Amino acid sequence: MRWSHHDGIYVSHQSLQSFAWSAPMRDLAKKVGISDVRLRKLLKSKGVLTPPQGHWNRLKAGRPVPECPPSPPRQAGEHGRIQLDARFRDLIQETPPLPVGGPFVSDAVHEDLSELREAELKAIGRAKPALRLTLPNVGLARLLKREEQIREKAKTDRWYWREPTFDTPLAQRQLRILNGLFFVLERRNHSGIASENQGKLSAGCTVGDMYLGLEFSVIGEHRTEFIDGYARPARDLPASTPLRLSLTNKFPQTITATWSDNSDSKLESKLAGIAADIIVAGEAAFRQSLIEAVEWEERHRRWQEDISKQQKAAALAQRLEDLKTSGTLLARAEEIRTLVENVRVAVLGGLCDVTSDELNDWENWALEYADSLDPVLSGQVLTHIREPDPK
């Protein structure tokens, strides 16, 4: 995650909330350069509470008013900063990212990831599997609506060739698992989403500010069929076919990122543990992103140094070429001047049958050309007198 390379700023939630409570919205909006309505919407989209209506009138009248509330603690997977555009740069103090080595602890996040998992499990409690999809999570609603539209279209149009992608027993089970999982994550202020991608179920979840991909796979050998040019599990595979659910992100072995059906239990009975593992993975992904950001900054710095060295080398090479060119031009100019002098001597000595007017015209023409070649008189020498700026 590269947070520092953009034209805006990053601030803490508390700094932005303090800004929102520092003056009437109209005055703040004028400082930012936007309307008060737009500023209020922006603050709301960032999860910032604003003073209630009439706050500043009550304050002016000397009546008691509520103080600026404290910001909520950093949740798992959150980087704890809010991105704003450059118009806020001189209005709110920028906040640096958390140090790579932490501490990462907050009222909602344990420093130790195993303790974080235990806390999430306790907060989640019992997670009931979704037996039906009649009440879908918002993360599944769009996909299921599209499936229903295809289903209804097929009923009314005999020539309609499409059919629902996820009407098979195994696909319906996958959707039920995701539905239950998304509801559990939602209880912990996280979310999930699913869609169709080239006939395959595409899913993921957002933990704080981190997106984690999810994918199902069938355990063991199974029949496949080609759908839209891709090999997919056969549509008649029963719902009892063993499944594996995995995060598509790469994690160290200490992070649980795969869950499977086994002889003791099915994925449906593991939703609480899966959700807790995903939340831990989201926090681990955030901490890893800090390391990756520092590594990227170092690579970028080295790249810039290499570019600067190449530019300096190219500028020096060009300076040397310009210097050599000056020497060549000066030599040619001096050769012409010497020739003019020799011809004048020859004409005056009677060695050449040339009138004085012809000699003067020729001398002026030749010396004018010599001056145009002269690097000092023409200014060409300035191309290498000053040390070049590689920029």
Side-chain angles (χ1 to χ4, degrees):
M1 182 180 296
R2 300 191 290 274
W3 293 326
S4 59
H5 285 267
H6 59 90
D7 60 356
I9 63 172
Y10 282 98
V11 302
S12 68
H13 186 281
Q14 188 61 58
S15 295
L16 184 56
Q17 190 147 285
S18 297
F19 171 77
W21 285 69
S22 64
M25 196 63 57
R26 185 172 299 176
D27 296 343
L28 296 178
K30 187 176 181 180
K31 293 180 180 180
V32 177
I34 58 179
S35 70
D36 57 335
V37 175
R38 184 176 176 186
L39 178 58
R40 192 180 299 276
K41 288 181 178 180
L42 172 65
L43 294 172
K44 183 178 180 180
S45 70
K46 302 297 184 181
V48 171
L49 298 176
T50 55
Q53 187 175 3
H55 174 88
W56 298 104
N57 290 333
R58 287 194 293 271
L59 182 65
K60 187 177 181 179
R63 299 171 60 185
V65 293
E67 296 182 354
C68 175
S71 292
R74 185 183 75 85
Q75 300 292 320
E78 291 182 346
H79 53 66
R81 301 193 298 168
I82 297 173
Q83 183 176 347
L84 300 172
D85 64 49
R87 290 174 293 188
F88 290 86
R89 187 178 302 281
D90 297 327
L91 302 175
I92 308 176
Q93 184 177 2
E94 294 190 55
T95 301
L98 288 176
V100 171
F104 304 106
V105 65
S106 74
D107 290 345
V109 179
H110 290 260
E111 188 75 20
D112 184 85
L113 293 181
S114 60
E115 293 179 3
L116 173 61
R117 185 181 189 278
E118 292 303 315
E120 290 296 332
L121 273 176
K122 184 177 180 180
I124 291 170
R126 184 180 178 185
K128 296 181 179 180
L131 301 179
R132 294 185 300 273
L133 293 173
T134 51
L135 294 175
N137 181 270
V138 64
L140 275 176
R142 186 174 181 178
L143 172 64
L144 294 178
K145 181 179 180 180
R146 177 179 176 276
E147 290 280 285
E148 182 61 25
Q149 289 173 342
I150 294 174
R151 195 177 293 113
E152 292 300 318
K153 181 71 173 177
K155 289 180 180 179
T156 58
D157 188 348
R158 60 179 297 186
W159 304 109
Y160 190 65
W161 59 272
R162 300 198 66 173
E163 58 183 8
T165 305
F166 305 110
D167 262 0
T168 67
L170 189 58
Q172 285 287 296
R173 183 191 170 206
Q174 292 174 349
L175 293 179
R176 290 193 297 271
I177 292 173
L178 289 180
N179 198 41
L181 178 60
F182 291 172
F183 274 120
V184 177
L185 289 172
E186 192 176 78
R187 282 155 50 184
R188 300 300 298 147
N189 298 317
H190 306 296
S191 63
I193 190 168
S195 61
E196 182 269 336
N197 182 20
Q198 296 177 332
K200 184 178 180 180
L201 181 61
S202 176
C205 51
T206 300
V207 177
D209 296 304
M210 310 307 297
Y211 179 81
L212 307 176
L214 287 168
E215 67 177 3
F216 282 102
S217 58
V218 176
I219 301 175
E221 295 183 0
H222 61 281
R223 290 181 295 102
T224 61
E225 59 184 72
F226 277 90
I227 302 176
D228 295 333
Y230 296 90
R232 304 293 188 217
R235 295 178 61 85
D236 59 353
L237 288 179
S240 59
T241 303
L243 287 175
R244 178 184 296 110
L245 177 63
S246 306
L247 293 173
T248 59
N249 310 61
K250 293 183 179 180
F251 290 100
Q253 294 182 351
T254 54
I255 302 298
T256 302
T258 301
W259 310 269
S260 304
D261 289 330
N262 52 45
S263 57
D264 297 328
S265 59
K266 298 293 185 180
L267 289 172
E268 288 85 345
S269 65
K270 305 176 182 180
L271 294 182
I274 294 173
D277 288 336
I278 289 176
I279 294 171
V280 170
E283 175 64 16
F286 158 67
R287 298 182 186 185
Q288 180 61 32
S289 73
L290 295 175
I291 298 175
E292 293 173 353
V294 171
E295 292 174 345
W296 185 91
E297 292 286 352
E298 178 61 20
R299 290 195 302 271
H300 186 70
R301 183 189 65 80
R302 292 179 180 178
W303 175 79
Q304 287 182 318
E305 286 183 353
D306 291 342
I307 293 297
S308 179
K309 290 178 181 179
Q310 294 172 14
Q311 291 174 339
K312 287 180 179 179
L316 178 58
Q318 185 61 51
R319 189 184 189 191
L320 291 174
E321 286 298 319
D322 291 339
L323 177 62
K324 293 176 183 178
T325 300
S326 290
T328 301
L329 292 173
L330 181 60
R332 292 174 60 189
E334 290 300 322
E335 287 177 356
I336 294 173
R337 290 166 181 154
T338 300
L339 173 64
V340 170
E341 182 62 29
N342 290 338
V343 171
R344 168 170 282 279
V345 171
V347 171
L348 293 178
L351 298 178
C352 296
D353 184 16
V354 177
T355 66
S356 60
D357 290 340
E358 290 175 331
L359 176 61
N360 289 335
D361 290 343
W362 176 81
E363 282 183 345
N364 291 335
W365 171 74
L367 290 176
E368 184 179 351
Y369 180 65
D371 290 345
S372 70
L373 294 177
D374 191 309
V376 178
L377 297 178
S378 68
Q380 189 274 340
V381 71
L382 296 177
T383 61
H384 56 81
I385 283 183
R386 299 185 182 93
E387 186 172 351
D389 184 358
K391 294 182 181 180

